[in-house]
Amino acid sequence: MGDFMCTLALAGEAAVLLTVAHALTRRVTYRRWSRLLGTAGGVGGAIAADADRVRAARVGRIIDRVADRHPWRPVCLPRAMCGRWMLNRRGVANTMFVGVEPEARAGAKRMLHAWLVVSGVTVTGRITDRDIRPIARFGDAE
């Protein structure tokens, strides 16, 4: 029963933080909400312990499950923000990236994307079929 309660608590935390992140990205300027993510341009790649990587993977799975059930389906940016805040609370070194496609595909706008990484492993925002270049990084220094 303890593991179920822990998962339930993580899901509740994710639901609240996804809502906050979604509202911030819709109603507040980048300049203001980006301050809530920590050090901009921090050096990525801080090494996390094995237990931290397992914890990060679990947080990422829960965020995706909760976000997929939200009425407004939070996209990559609120998911990455939520993950960063949840992992920071747990002392897990992580780096959040915001990126853009260098060129738009035919007839489309350039895609913006956000993702969260722990020790080189993507926790939220996995993307494989597009070339995304980071334009902002919020992370823990080594």
Side-chain angles (χ1 to χ4, degrees), residues 6 10 46-61 86-87 90-94 118-119 121 123:
C6 183
L10 283 173
I47 304 301
D50 287 339
D52 286 343
R53 284 193 290 275
V54 169
R55 184 176 297 137
R58 182 176 188 197
V59 165
R61 283 191 306 273
M86 288 178 75
L87 294 177
R90 288 157 180 81
V92 177
N94 64 84
V118 172
S119 289
V121 177
V123 176

Side-chain angles (χ1 to χ4, degrees), residues 8 12 18 20 28-29 46 66 76 78-79 89 98 105-106 110 122 136:
L8 191 60
L18 281 167
V20 169
V28 179
T29 64
V66 171
C76 57
R79 290 179 192 216
R89 271 194 67 208
V98 177
R105 292 184 176 193
R110 287 173 36 173
T122 304

Side-chain angles (χ1 to χ4, degrees), residues 2-141:
D3 191 44
F4 173 75
M5 294 305 287
C6 183
T7 300
L8 191 60
L10 283 173
E13 180 182 358
V16 169
L17 291 175
L18 281 167
T19 301
V20 169
H22 180 78
L24 285 172
T25 59
R26 297 287 178 166
R27 307 267 189 245
V28 179
T29 64
Y30 170 81
R31 197 169 122 206
R32 287 213 168 133
W33 62 252
S34 65
R35 294 180 199 162
L36 301 173
L37 298 173
T39 308
V43 178
I47 304 301
D50 287 339
D52 286 343
R53 284 193 290 275
V54 169
R55 184 176 297 137
R58 182 176 188 197
V59 165
R61 283 191 306 273
I62 288 172
I63 288 169
D64 286 341
R65 280 191 216 138
V66 171
D68 289 345
R69 287 162 180 76
H70 254 308
W72 54 83
R73 300 275 181 144
V75 293
C76 57
L77 181 59
R79 290 179 192 216
M81 292 168 70
C82 174
R84 178 142 174 82
W85 293 331
M86 288 178 75
L87 294 177
N88 284 350
R89 271 194 67 208
R90 288 157 180 81
V92 177
N94 64 84
T95 304
M96 182 184 137
F97 295 91
V98 177
V100 64
E101 276 184 310
E103 295 180 19
R105 292 184 176 193
K109 293 181 180 178
R110 287 173 36 173
M111 182 177 144
L112 291 172
H113 186 59
W115 65 100
L116 184 67
V117 176
V118 172
S119 289
V121 177
T122 304
V123 176
T124 66
R126 289 171 195 84
I127 190 160
T128 57
D129 66 338
R130 300 220 181 188
D131 179 24
I132 305 290
R133 307 268 168 90
I135 57 173
R137 175 180 22 214
F138 303 90
D140 300 307

